[in-house]
Structures are given as structure tokens and as C-alpha cells.
Amino acid sequence: MKPITEYEDYRLYLRDFYEERKRTSVFSWREFAKLAGFSSSGYLKLVCDGKTRLSKIGAAKVAPAMGLAGFHADYFCLMVEFCDASDDTVRMNAYSRMRALAKENGVRILGTEAFSYFSSWANPVVRELAPIMRGAKPSDIGKVCVPEISAGEVRNSLELMVRMGLLIRRPDGSYVQTDKGVSGCSAVIPSAVRSMQKQYAYLAADAVDLFEPEERRISGLTVGADEHTFNRIAVELDAFRRKIAAIVSDVQDYDRIYRLNLHLFPLSRPLGEKDV
């Protein structure tokens, strides 16, 4: 089996463990459940199939049944918390603890760099600023950001993007962008992306007070629509975003970083929907 730190979904780890044991010996879900102290012989199969979940107590019972001890057992329990958390903040906190635990024990979790990139609104901003601020210190770049960020944050961001291949550091200390995109494990990235989207939404709200109307464009509509109309608007928004992307791709010498948010969200439930 792969090292446990190469997993982010505990159900996949459970299934791989089961398949490995079954391949090398006589092993069944019934025996697996018995090893973990569960009375239901099919319980762990239901967990692996996504039909139920493992509790915190259950995770602590399953870990030793798979021969996990020390930080490996702790990592497995954190995976359970990460996968089954219903709140993005809890999920990201669990994943951060997984990363810290792995780092403390000298191992690396796949996908952590992409997770780190999407965890902060500042990373895309620093990526755009670094190439046009040649010779600038991290503190100089930080002071240009709105809101201002520390030199340490800028330095960490630059180091992260160099590792990811999003920026190249030249011998003279300047940076150039690459065309490489950002990707990672699908179980991790959505939570971090949603966090970044929330951060940008908060920054958009602050911009109402921070900038004069001449420096920003913030407006909106409150409308009534059905599902068909919503889908038509969504198509137009996607086309508009692609058009803007094409426009900015032609920019050679930019001197400022902007963020364009496209927000379309419901302010009411569908009529007739009952409370659950």
C-alpha cells in the first residue's frame, strides 16, 4: 500500500487496506469489523461505500485494527474528521493539522502546495505583482497590497509559487510568471477555493469604503427569475468572464492588480419549498 500520508480520503485507505489483506490472505469484511470491535459485520463496508460514516470513536477503533500506531493513527483520525466535516472551516483546520503532523514526522502530503495557494487571497496578487516590481523587497510588495500584508507573508507566498512552478526566480532576484496552472487533489481544493472566494467577497465589501467610485465599479441587480432564466444568466456570466480573460491576456505592461467578482446567488428559497 501507499504510505498513509499519500491519502486524503480515509474511505480509500480503508478499501485499499481491505483489498491488500484480501489479496495476501483469507480476509473478509466480517473479520475486519471484528478486529475493530464492531458488532455489525458489514459496517465497515457501508463506510467504504459512503453509505455511513465513521465516528471519532470508531476511527480510534479502526486505526489499531489496521496496524496503525503513533502519528499514523493520529493522521488516520484526522482524515476522518477532514472527510466528514460539514463545515469548510473545520475541514481546512483538520487538513492543516494533517499537514503539520506529516511535516513534524518528515513526510510530505501530496497536494498541500495547491491547498496552500488557494488558502489565501494574497497568493494570486503576489504572483501578479512580483514580475512588475523588479528588485522590490518582500516588504515593498506587501505595502502595495490592499489590504497590506507582511513581508513574511510575501516571502512565504513567493517561495510557495517558486516550488509550484508558478513563478521562476532569476539569478538577479527578479521573478517571471510561467503558464503553469494550479491543480491538486479534488478532496482538498474545493474547500480552499471556497475559502478564497469568501475572502475576495469580504475584500469587495471593504472596497466600497476604501476606494472612490472612480477607482471601482460595484453595482448589482435584485431580480425575480425562474430556473430557466437563472441558467441563461449563468451562461452569459461565463461568456463575459472568458471575454475579460481574453482582454487582459493582451496586456503587456500593467501597473495595478484588480479582482473581478461575478456574484449571482439566491436571496430567497423557491416558493413552495417547505422547511425541513
Side-chain angles (χ1 to χ4, degrees):
M1 285 181 62
K2 297 183 296 184
I4 191 170
T5 51
E6 292 190 21
Y7 289 83
E8 291 162 345
D9 187 332
Y10 76 92
R11 289 180 172 87
L12 291 179
Y13 186 82
L14 283 173
R15 185 168 292 282
D16 283 358
F17 170 82
Y18 173 78
E19 294 295 340
E20 180 70 9
R21 283 290 303 271
K22 188 176 180 181
R23 184 179 66 82
T24 58
S25 64
V26 178
F27 194 64
S28 65
W29 288 110
R30 178 186 295 275
E31 185 177 352
F32 194 3
K34 185 178 180 180
L35 281 173
F38 296 112
S39 57
S40 173
S41 61
Y43 174 66
L44 289 177
K45 186 177 188 306
L46 292 175
V47 171
C48 285
D49 292 342
K51 295 179 179 179
T52 187
R53 60 181 58 186
L54 208 55
S55 67
K56 187 175 182 178
I57 295 175
K61 292 168 64 176
V62 171
M66 295 188 293
L68 298 176
F71 98 88
H72 292 98
D74 293 338
Y75 186 92
F76 177 79
C77 291
L78 285 172
M79 267 203 299
V80 173
E81 184 178 345
F82 165 70
C83 291
D84 288 343
S86 57
D87 180 84
D88 281 339
T89 301
V90 177
R91 281 173 60 83
M92 292 180 66
N93 179 58
Y95 189 72
S96 296
R97 287 154 60 200
M98 288 163 59
R99 294 167 60 205
L101 187 62
K103 186 176 181 180
E104 289 170 7
N105 289 274
V107 294
R108 176 176 175 269
I109 303 177
L110 299 178
T112 57
E113 291 174 343
F115 174 85
S116 297
Y117 179 84
F118 284 117
S119 295
S120 173
W121 66 270
N123 289 320
V125 177
V126 171
R127 187 190 182 203
E128 297 297 326
L129 284 174
I132 65 173
M133 295 183 68
R134 293 189 176 184
K137 299 177 181 178
S139 57
D140 297 329
I141 296 176
K143 290 176 182 176
V144 173
C145 295
V146 181
E148 184 176 323
I149 61 177
S150 69
E153 289 177 277
V154 175
R155 191 176 298 109
N156 290 337
S157 180
L158 291 171
E159 292 174 355
L160 169 68
M161 287 184 282
V162 169
R163 289 198 306 271
M164 295 180 70
L166 298 175
L167 288 176
I168 296 175
R169 191 174 189 273
R170 290 173 167 169
D172 63 1
S174 63
Y175 294 87
V176 293
Q177 288 185 357
T178 68
D179 294 328
K180 184 176 179 180
V182 184
S183 62
C185 173
S186 59
V188 178
I189 300 307
S191 294
V193 170
R194 286 193 291 269
S195 175
M196 178 180 278
Q197 290 171 338
K198 290 178 183 178
Q199 293 173 49
Y200 279 129
Y202 296 145
L203 292 175
D206 292 340
V208 174
D209 298 320
L210 288 174
F211 300 103
E212 295 297 327
E214 295 78 17
E215 293 184 278
R216 57 173 170 78
R217 290 292 184 275
I218 298 178
S219 61
L221 294 170
T222 303
V223 299
D226 56 16
E227 184 177 359
H228 174 69
T229 305
F230 172 86
N231 290 331
R232 286 184 59 191
I233 296 172
V235 169
E236 292 295 327
L237 288 175
D238 288 340
F240 175 69
R241 181 177 53 80
R242 290 193 294 270
K243 184 175 181 179
I244 296 299
I247 292 173
V248 298
S249 68
D250 294 330
V251 177
Q252 299 298 321
D253 299 313
Y254 56 92
D255 60 0
R256 197 170 190 179
I257 313 304
Y258 289 86
R259 168 71 181 184
L260 172 64
N261 288 339
L262 300 177
H263 294 163
L264 176 63
F265 56 92
L267 294 173
S268 71
R269 295 180 180 179
L271 294 182
E273 182 178 296
K274 297 180 180 179
D275 291 331
V276 178

